[in-house]
Amino acid sequence: MRTSTLPVAVIACLVSGLLTAQPPPQPPPPPCTPGPNVVCEQQGPEDLVALGPNWVAVSAMSGSGGVALVRVRDRKSFTVYPGRTARNRPDTTTYPDCPGPPSADQFTTHGLYVEPGGGAVRKLFVVGHGAREAIEIFEIDTSSATPVATWLGCVVAPNPIGLNSVRGLPDGGFITTNFLPRGTSPEATQRMREGERNGELWEWHTASGWQKVPGSETAGANGVELSADGNTIYVAAWGSQSFFRLSRGTTPPKRDEVPLGFSVDNIHWARDGTLYAVGQAKQGWRAVKIHPDTLAVSDVVARADAPEFGAGTALVEVDGALWVGSFRGNRIVIVPAPGVGRSVDP
């Protein structure tokens, strides 16, 4: 169906609801001291994506929010939107129903996706909360010493969708996850944590609007990725602590699911063609690799939560190491990139 009139106002409690579905809040972290294994100046860096070898885009689920870029060579962090160099160039052809740029003072950010390719200018899709619940689309230019973010448009989510992750598509559309529908009761949230299917995936295009992805119903739909040919969707199911592969565009859809034993958050492609899956485990966090064809799982890293860092949510390969984010706290941690761990058959 095509949804041409979408609600702009959102229920402001969405982010607190998301955090309710995550491990309980912790005391403020200690001050962050720059060092070889940490990137400071962050605000709940829930998701991370690399923009080539020199920059990493980072979301901000707390504090003043916005979109940040970290320069790899010196780990300097820039808030590029909103910011002094930020620009607006609305693409009203691709995003005709967008009411305007996001609110500068009510814009916390969540899942990220950067379009593939080289060059200094890349398109970035961002899950935004705050004054509205929407996918926000930016153009990021890293050709100068201070990167520039240009806002291109948005797609406001219909009620009660509570956005979490996004995977952009070549035509400007996207696939996104409904992790925790807005207005969800504490009792329903607990049932999701116990594996009850409460959400699903949605796909959006300019011509067709919002459409539910067949066969995608799950408990706490979180991270999402897509195969290079566009025929297979990969999904992290936070509530059921599992990962599934779903055919796209087939009737009926084919779905294969594998349990992982931890609350799977974001998933991103690794350079070797496998998928990194990161999430919260008992009193810590864990990252694994998943083979997209066989669904074999290999351990990558497991760490206990600490006052400085806990509740890992996303991982990206940067300069031979692994950068790990969290929905809370003031830092990204850097861990060595180990060899492939033991293999676990699905």
Side-chain angles (χ1 to χ4, degrees):
M1 66 178 177
R2 163 92 180 183
T3 304
S4 58
T5 56
L6 301 176
V8 176
V10 299
I11 298 171
C13 66
L14 170 69
V15 174
S16 63
L18 289 172
L19 297 183
T20 299
Q22 302 274 14
Q26 301 295 309
C32 184
T33 302
N37 300 317
V38 67
V39 179
C40 298
E41 302 178 304
Q42 304 306 308
Q43 303 180 94
E46 197 274 345
D47 203 5
L48 320 169
V49 291
L51 284 77
N54 301 317
W55 295 91
V56 175
V58 185
S59 59
M61 280 197 71
S62 61
S64 58
V67 178
L69 260 65
V70 176
R71 190 165 54 203
V72 172
R73 63 175 169 82
D74 59 5
R75 296 173 189 164
K76 171 67 176 175
S77 187
F78 301 82
T79 297
V80 293
Y81 199 98
R84 179 178 54 84
T85 62
R87 301 171 183 170
N88 298 318
R89 193 181 70 241
D91 177 356
T92 56
T93 299
T94 307
Y95 310 105
D97 298 321
C98 181
S103 170
D105 57 357
Q106 297 182 66
F107 183 41
T108 53
T109 54
H110 203 154
L112 305 175
Y113 171 77
V114 63
E115 68 177 1
V121 180
R122 308 277 286 279
K123 185 180 287 185
L124 181 72
F125 291 75
V126 177
V127 171
H129 309 302
R132 66 185 180 214
E133 185 77 355
I135 303 298
E136 308 283 349
I137 300 89
F138 296 86
E139 182 182 86
I140 306 295
D141 186 347
T142 57
S143 60
S144 59
T146 301
V148 175
T150 301
W151 176 83
L152 301 179
C154 73
V155 181
V156 179
N159 277 315
I161 294 174
L163 301 170
N164 187 294
S165 295
V166 62
R167 205 291 185 181
L169 300 170
D171 68 347
F174 53 82
I175 300 170
T176 188
T177 53
N178 179 20
F179 172 73
L180 192 66
R182 287 169 274 170
T184 297
S185 69
E187 294 78 13
T189 299
Q190 180 59 34
R191 292 196 300 271
M192 179 273 285
R193 294 172 65 97
E194 295 169 355
E196 180 178 281
R197 294 185 176 186
N198 72 318
E200 62 288 303
L201 275 64
W202 291 79
E203 188 165 335
W204 182 92
H205 299 270
T206 305
S208 55
W210 290 88
Q211 296 181 325
K212 189 180 294 186
V213 177
S216 65
E217 295 80 7
T218 194
N222 205 308
V224 60
E225 265 294 0
L226 188 67
S227 60
D229 61 11
N231 294 331
T232 307
I233 306 172
Y234 305 97
V235 185
W238 193 92
S240 58
Q241 300 192 351
S242 61
F243 170 95
F244 66 91
R245 177 179 62 198
L246 182 68
S247 64
R248 177 170 175 247
T250 62
T251 304
K254 185 177 186 298
R255 175 166 165 163
D256 301 293
E257 191 155 359
V258 57
L260 293 183
F262 63 97
S263 299
V264 196
D265 213 298
N266 288 297
I267 55 176
H268 291 304
W269 287 107
R271 292 176 183 171
D272 64 3
T274 61
L275 285 153
Y276 282 116
V278 185
Q280 300 85 52
K282 187 176 181 180
Q283 299 180 332
W285 59 271
R286 183 182 171 195
V288 300
K289 276 186 173 184
I290 304 170
H291 194 287
D293 297 328
T294 66
L295 298 186
V297 180
S298 298
D299 292 325
V300 174
V301 62
R303 295 282 176 89
D305 287 341
E308 295 80 11
F309 184 87
T313 54
L315 181 154
V316 65
E317 295 174 315
V318 180
D319 197 24
L322 306 178
W323 290 26
V324 184
S326 171
F327 75 92
R328 65 187 188 215
N330 57 8
R331 69 196 71 194
I332 297 164
V333 298
I334 301 173
V335 300
V340 177
R342 63 180 178 86
S343 178
V344 182
D345 292 328

